[in-house]
Amino acid sequence: MKKTYLLAILFLATFTGKAQLTDIYAGAQLYTTPFDGMQINNIAYYFRSDGTFNDKFDTPDWRTHISGAYTLKTGMVQLKFKDGREAATYKLNANGNLESTAGIKHTLHKLKKVASLPSASYQSKSASSRGGMGTGMPNVAAFSSGFLAFDGKGRFSSSRTGVVGVSGEAMAGKYDKSNAAAGTYTLGDGDITFTLSNGTTSKHSLFYSPPDEEDLILLDGEFYFREKNTASAPASAAPTTTGLPSPTDLLNKLRAHYGGESIDKLTTIKETSTLTGNFQAVMLTDITHNKVRAEIRQGDKLLMIKQWEGSDGWQWVNGALAPLAPNEKSEFQLSLYQGILGLHKKLSSYFLTGKVSKSGDDYLLTFFINNHKLIYLVNSAYEMKGNAYTINETPNVSVYKKFTQTSGITYPSVTESSDGKATIVVTTTAIEFNPVLNENAWGKP
C-alpha cells in the first residue's frame, strides 16, 4: 500500500503540467484575529479536471459555477479566486488529503458521494447579529440550529430552532418550529431530492465525510455534524407548561442535578479535549486566583497559548508573544460563569441577578457581567442545554450534547459552539478536578 502512495506522488512530480483533481474536499481552518481571538472557518472545494474549482454549493449551478482556477504541480495545489480573495496553497499528501502550507495548519479531507444513508441525525448551527452601537438600531442577536434526521429507509425529517434577543431588554426568544418538515428522499449523483407530504420537491448537493475523518454531511455547502448516539427524527415538542421558576429555583435544581456541594469544592481544573479540524486543546482553570489558560496543538506541535490572569493576559502564537486583546480578556472571564462553573457558590451571584423567561418549552435565564449578556438555556427537566453570550455585538452560542460524571460532578463532555461564521465541536477526552498547578503550568514558552 505504501508503494502505491509513493508511486502516486512520483507521478505528480513527473507530470507537473497535467495532473488534476476531481473531488470534493472539506475541513476546518483555525485562525486568530487581533480582536476576536480564535475563530473556525469551515471550507469546502469542488475541483474539476479542467483546472477550475467551486466553493459555492448552495446554488443550482454548483456543478458548473466557477469560483476560480487551480494548478497542481509537484504535489502542491494553488488556488486563485475570481473575486479577489487571497490565493491559497495546499500540499497533496500521500493519503489523498490536502494540507495547508501557511498560517496555523489545517487539513481538508476528501468527501464521498452518498450512495446510501443509515439511520442517523445531523446538526448545523449558525449565529448572527445586526444593529448595535453606531448603527442607530437596536442590537438583535439570533442563534439557530438546523436538524436533519434520516431513518435509513427513505424518509427524513428536519427542523430549525432559534433564540432571538434584543439588547436593552431581557433576552426574549423562542424555538421556532414553524419550518419543521418531513417526507421522503432519493439520492442522486452528488445530490439528494426531498419530497414533502404535499408533493413539493427540492434538490440539494450532498456529500459526506466518514466517522474516522470529519464525520459530517455537506448539504448545499452547509456543514451538518452527526449527533452521537442519535438515530431518529427530532421528537415532537412536549406540552408547554405555565409559570416561571425564579433564578434561585433554577440554580438550586441545576446544582442538585450536576453535583451540588461537589461543585463548590472545585478550585482548579485541567481539561484535555479534541477540536474540529484535528486539533488538541488543554484548558487550565484556577477559580481562586481568576486564571485561565488555553493551549492548542496539532499533533506534536504547539500552535498557540492564551492566558488570562484577572485584569491582564498574554498570548503566544507561532513563537510570537503579544498581550491579550480586550475582547479575549472578556471571553476568558465569561468562561468562569458558564456551564457547571457558573453554578459554583463563589461564582453564582451573577446567576441569581438574572431574569427568567420562556423559550418554547425551555427556560432562558439572562444576566450581565460587565455589560456582557450571558444566557443559560435550561429545559423543563432542569437540564442545561447550552449557553449564549455577546461581546461587542458578536453572538456566541454553545450547545451541550453529552454529559459525563466524575467525582460526583456531571459535566458536558461534548460541546458545539458557533460564532456565526463556523461551528467547532469540543470533545473532552480527560478531566482532572483540583490538580496541583504550579508556576511551571502557567509559564510562558
Side-chain angles (χ1 to χ4, degrees):
M1 184 67 72
K2 289 184 179 180
K3 289 183 179 180
T4 302
Y5 290 150
L6 179 59
L7 288 174
I9 295 300
L10 291 175
F11 177 86
L12 293 177
T14 303
F15 299 94
T16 58
K18 298 181 180 180
Q20 302 293 339
L21 297 172
T22 56
D23 297 290
I24 309 288
Y25 285 83
Q29 177 189 21
L30 175 69
Y31 65 98
T32 61
T33 63
F35 297 103
D36 295 328
M38 186 177 72
Q39 305 290 324
I40 294 291
N41 181 30
N42 288 329
I43 301 171
Y45 296 117
Y46 170 33
F47 294 100
R48 306 185 186 91
S49 59
D50 63 358
T52 64
F53 70 89
N54 174 43
D55 65 351
K56 298 184 183 299
F57 293 83
D58 58 348
T59 59
D61 65 341
W62 67 269
R63 296 179 189 272
T64 58
H65 182 271
I66 297 176
S67 298
Y70 74 93
T71 57
L72 173 56
K73 296 181 180 180
T74 61
M76 303 301 292
V77 183
Q78 185 174 45
L79 289 75
K80 294 184 178 180
F81 296 87
K82 290 175 57 179
D83 58 9
R85 280 178 283 170
E86 183 178 356
T89 302
Y90 291 88
K91 177 183 178 181
L92 181 61
N93 289 335
N95 59 10
N97 293 330
L98 295 179
E99 183 178 313
S100 66
T101 59
I104 298 178
K105 291 187 176 181
H106 58 279
T107 301
L108 304 184
H109 297 276
K110 186 185 297 186
L111 302 191
K112 306 177 187 299
K113 293 182 179 179
V114 180
S116 62
L117 283 170
S119 178
S121 295
Y122 297 84
Q123 185 177 29
S124 175
K125 292 183 179 61
S126 65
S128 63
S129 180
R130 294 183 178 181
M133 187 178 300
T135 66
M137 299 291 289
N139 176 53
V140 179
F143 313 98
S144 65
S145 295
F147 296 88
L148 273 174
F150 303 95
D151 67 356
K153 302 177 181 179
R155 296 195 62 83
F156 81 96
S157 61
S158 67
S159 66
R160 173 112 10 213
T161 64
V163 177
V164 178
V166 180
S167 62
E169 303 175 2
M171 178 66 97
K174 65 176 183 178
Y175 272 106
D176 181 8
K177 296 183 174 66
S178 61
N179 63 346
T184 60
Y185 66 87
T186 55
L187 297 172
D189 182 20
D191 56 47
I192 187 171
T193 299
F194 293 123
T195 302
L196 303 182
S197 56
N198 61 6
T200 302
T201 64
S202 60
K203 181 177 287 189
H204 309 265
S205 60
L206 180 70
F207 299 89
Y208 89 103
S209 178
D212 58 346
E213 294 180 1
E214 296 294 272
D215 200 5
L216 58 80
I217 61 172
L218 187 74
L219 180 73
D220 283 345
E222 186 173 4
F223 284 60
Y224 283 78
F225 292 90
R226 186 170 62 87
E227 293 192 284
K228 308 298 182 183
N229 301 321
T230 59
S232 59
S236 59
T240 301
T241 59
T242 60
L244 292 175
S246 68
T248 301
D249 292 335
L250 278 181
L251 179 62
N252 290 338
K253 290 179 179 180
L254 288 174
R255 281 173 53 83
H257 193 95
Y258 293 102
E261 293 183 357
S262 295
I263 299 174
D264 300 333
K265 296 177 183 178
L266 292 176
T267 57
T268 58
I269 303 171
K270 179 179 180 180
E271 183 177 5
T272 304
S273 57
T274 59
L275 285 70
T276 300
N278 296 321
F279 297 99
Q280 301 83 43
V282 175
M283 180 76 74
L284 305 180
T285 303
D286 187 329
I287 300 169
T288 305
H289 299 98
N290 285 336
K291 296 170 65 174
V292 182
R293 177 184 176 107
E295 302 177 0
I296 305 294
R297 290 176 171 81
Q298 189 171 52
D300 296 329
K301 184 179 180 181
L302 178 63
L303 303 176
M304 180 175 65
I305 301 175
K306 297 199 176 193
Q307 186 163 308
W308 173 73
E309 303 171 9
S311 60
D312 201 2
W314 54 270
Q315 61 180 324
W316 177 93
V317 180
N318 283 339
L321 277 169
L324 278 184
N327 284 3
E328 293 175 310
K329 294 179 184 178
S330 297
E331 292 268 1
F332 278 108
Q333 181 188 26
L334 293 182
S335 70
L336 293 175
Y337 300 93
Q338 300 180 61
I340 303 303
L341 277 184
L343 310 179
H344 196 294
K345 67 180 181 181
K346 291 184 177 180
L347 302 169
S348 60
S349 59
Y350 288 100
F351 189 107
L352 294 174
T353 66
K355 182 175 181 180
V356 180
S357 59
K358 286 301 293 273
S359 173
D361 300 319
D362 303 320
Y363 301 112
L364 291 173
L365 182 128
T366 304
F367 57 93
F368 291 83
I369 298 177
N370 293 340
N371 296 320
H372 301 306
K373 181 180 291 183
L374 201 154
I375 301 166
Y376 271 78
L377 180 62
V378 181
N379 67 17
S380 57
Y382 299 101
E383 298 169 327
M384 285 191 298
K385 298 181 70 173
N387 282 116
Y389 64 92
T390 58
I391 295 179
N392 290 347
E393 283 75 50
T394 299
N396 294 268
V397 60
S398 295
V399 176
Y400 307 130
K401 306 299 296 182
K402 183 179 179 181
F403 285 81
T404 303
Q405 187 178 80
T406 300
S407 301
I409 297 174
T410 303
Y411 63 92
S413 60
V414 178
T415 301
E416 296 181 4
S417 300
S418 174
D419 64 353
K421 300 176 183 177
T423 298
I424 179 172
V425 180
V426 181
T427 302
T428 300
T429 57
I431 195 164
E432 297 177 54
F433 293 138
N434 298 328
V436 176
L437 301 177
N438 55 31
E439 292 184 2
N440 291 334
W442 302 97
K444 296 179 181 178

